[in-house]
Amino acid sequence: MTRIFSGVKPTGHLTLGNYLGAVRQWVAAEQEPDEALFCVVDLHALTVEHDPARVRRLSRQAATLLLAAGLTPEKCTLFVQSHVDEHARLSYLLECTASDGELRRMVQYKEKAAKAQGSGEGVRLSLLTYPVLMAADILAYRTGEVPVGEDQRQHVELTRDLAVRFNQRYGYTFTVPKATHPVVAARVMDLQDPRSKMGKSGDAGPGVVFILDEPEAVRKKVMRAVTDSDGGVVYEPAARPGVANLLDILAACTGGEPAALADGYTGYGALKRDVADAVVELLRPVRVRHAELAADPGTVEAVLRAGAGRARAIARPVVDSAYRAIGLLEP
Ligand code: TYM
C-alpha cells in the first residue's frame, strides 16, 4: 500500500489551477486502497506578507472546499498543518540536512524573493527555508506519492534528495517519495497572461478563475481570455500558449485530448464558449456543496480535529526515529 500526501497553502482563494492540477487527483486517489493524507499547509502561508485574520479565514475555506470537492473523511485524513507539531519538529532536522545553495536555487524562491524585494518588503527567511518545511510535511508520513501540479516538481525533487541524504548519513529513516502529475492541466496558465501560471495570490486577477466564482464571472473571464493574433485553433503550447491553455482546460474538463479537440474548432469564440460551459459545469457541484458545508462549520472543525489526531499518530514515531538517528538523546 502506498501512502499519499499532498497539501494546499491558504494564501488566496483556490483556483481552477489548484482544482485541475491537484485537488481533482486527490479525490481520485482517495478511491484507491492507498492511505491518503491531505493538508491545509497554513504555516507556509506565513512566508509572505499576511493578514492573520485572512489566513484563518482562508484555512477554514480551503478545508471546506476540499470536502466540497469530494474528499471524504472516512477515506482520507484531512487536517491543518499547524495542528500537528511534527512538521515543524522535523523541519529543523532537515534544515540541518539541506544546504544554503540548494535552497537558493529553487525557482519559486527566486521568483517570490524578487517580487518581495521589488515591492519594498523584506524577504522572510522562511521563504528560503519553505521547501524544507514542505519536505518535512512529506517525509514525516513516509509518503510514497505526492500528487501535485507541475510547479511543485522541483520541491519534490529536493524532498527526495534530502530523504536519500538523511538515510545515507544516519541510517534508513524516510521513504523516498515521488511526485505524480495529471496528464493534462498539470500547469494551468493565467487567462490574461498565458505564459504565467494561474496563481491564487493575485486575487481578483481577471485571468484567474476561482473555484467559488459565480458562473457569470467564470464566463466573463474565459470569454476575455487572451488568445493569439493568428486566427486558427491549433494546439501549439510554445508558440500559441493562450489557445493551448484553453484546449488544456477543455480537455481536463471533458476528458478529451487537447490536440484532437482543436480539430473541432475554426474560431476562438466557439472554443471559449465551450470552455466556459465546461468549467461552469465542473465547478457547479463544488460551489453548491461548499455553500452547504460553510453553513455548518462545526462539522468541518470536527473533521479537522479527528484528522490531526490521526496524522499525529502516524508522524510522531517517524519524527521521533529521525531525532534518535541524527544523534539526539531520548528525553
Ligand atoms: P499551492 O498551494 O500553490 O498549490 C496547491 C496545489 O495546486 C497545484 N497548482 C496548480 N496546478 C496546475 N496549474 C496551476 N496553475 C496550479 N497552481 C497550483 C500545485 O502544484 C499544488 O499541487 N508548496 C505547495 C504546498 C505544499 C505541499 C506540501 C504540497 C506544502 N507542503 C507537501 C505537497 C506536499 C504549494 O505552494 O501549493
Side-chain angles (χ1 to χ4, degrees), residues 37-38 73 76-80 83-84 141 300-314:
L37 295 107
F38 301 111
C76 74
T77 295
L78 176 64
F79 68 106
V80 174
H83 294 176
V84 179
Y141 297 92
V300 179
E301 270 165 36
V303 168
L304 295 177
R305 208 172 311 118
R310 287 205 297 272
R312 220 175 279 129
I314 300 172

Side-chain angles (χ1 to χ4, degrees), residues 8 38-39 43 57 102 116 131-132 176 178 225 230 259 320 323 330:
V8 63
F38 301 111
C39 188
L43 296 174
R57 205 166 53 241
E102 65 192 337
V132 175
V176 181
K178 71 168 201 284
D230 202 347
D320 280 351
Y323 268 65
E330 204 149 341

Side-chain angles (χ1 to χ4, degrees), residues 70-219:
L71 291 183
T72 45
E74 297 78 30
K75 291 203 190 127
C76 74
T77 295
L78 176 64
F79 68 106
V80 174
Q81 183 191 31
S82 64
H83 294 176
V84 179
D85 292 342
E86 272 52 46
H87 296 241
R89 272 182 80 211
L90 179 57
S91 189
Y92 180 70
L93 299 199
L94 297 178
E95 281 183 20
C96 300
T97 309
S99 74
D100 173 68
E102 65 192 337
L103 290 178
R104 288 189 195 280
R105 277 198 295 278
M106 293 290 120
V107 172
Q108 284 208 348
Y109 169 71
K110 288 198 259 189
E111 285 173 3
K112 289 188 180 167
K115 208 163 133 191
Q117 241 146 12
S119 69
E121 285 166 31
V123 178
R124 296 183 184 182
L125 181 57
S126 55
L127 190 65
L128 179 65
T129 56
Y130 170 116
V132 175
L133 178 58
M134 175 163 164
D137 300 337
I138 296 167
L139 299 181
Y141 297 92
R142 295 210 168 109
T143 300
E145 282 182 17
V146 188
V148 282
E150 179 65 42
D151 61 324
Q152 296 302 318
R153 188 187 288 269
Q154 196 186 26
H155 292 160
V156 180
E157 276 304 312
L158 175 78
T159 303
R160 290 167 58 85
D161 291 346
L162 296 180
V164 169
R165 196 177 304 155
F166 191 102
N167 288 346
Q168 277 170 352
R169 283 186 190 160
Y170 309 114
Y172 180 81
T173 308
F174 299 121
T175 301
V176 181
K178 71 168 201 284
T180 58
H181 307 286
V183 182
V184 276
R187 189 175 182 84
V188 177
M189 309 309 273
D190 189 290
L191 297 175
Q192 287 298 317
D193 176 13
R195 295 199 185 270
S196 302
K197 183 186 76 168
M198 182 184 282
K200 59 174 127 59
S201 311
D203 268 8
V208 181
V209 173
F210 297 102
I211 298 177
L212 292 181
D213 272 347
E214 297 286 336
E216 260 329 288
V218 174
R219 275 182 213 290

Side-chain angles (χ1 to χ4, degrees), residues 12-62:
H13 298 287
L14 266 59
T15 71
L16 179 66
N18 295 130
Y19 187 72
L20 295 177
V23 176
R24 209 161 62 144
Q25 326 307 315
W26 303 356
V27 175
E30 173 195 83
Q31 308 306 322
E32 305 292 322
D34 301 329
E35 186 178 6
L37 295 107
F38 301 111
C39 188
V40 177
V41 288
D42 53 351
L43 296 174
H44 289 279
L46 313 183
T47 54
V48 287
E49 182 80 12
H50 75 281
D51 165 24
R54 185 164 186 268
V55 169
R56 265 191 295 274
R57 205 166 53 241
L58 289 173
S59 296
R60 216 172 282 123
Q61 188 192 68

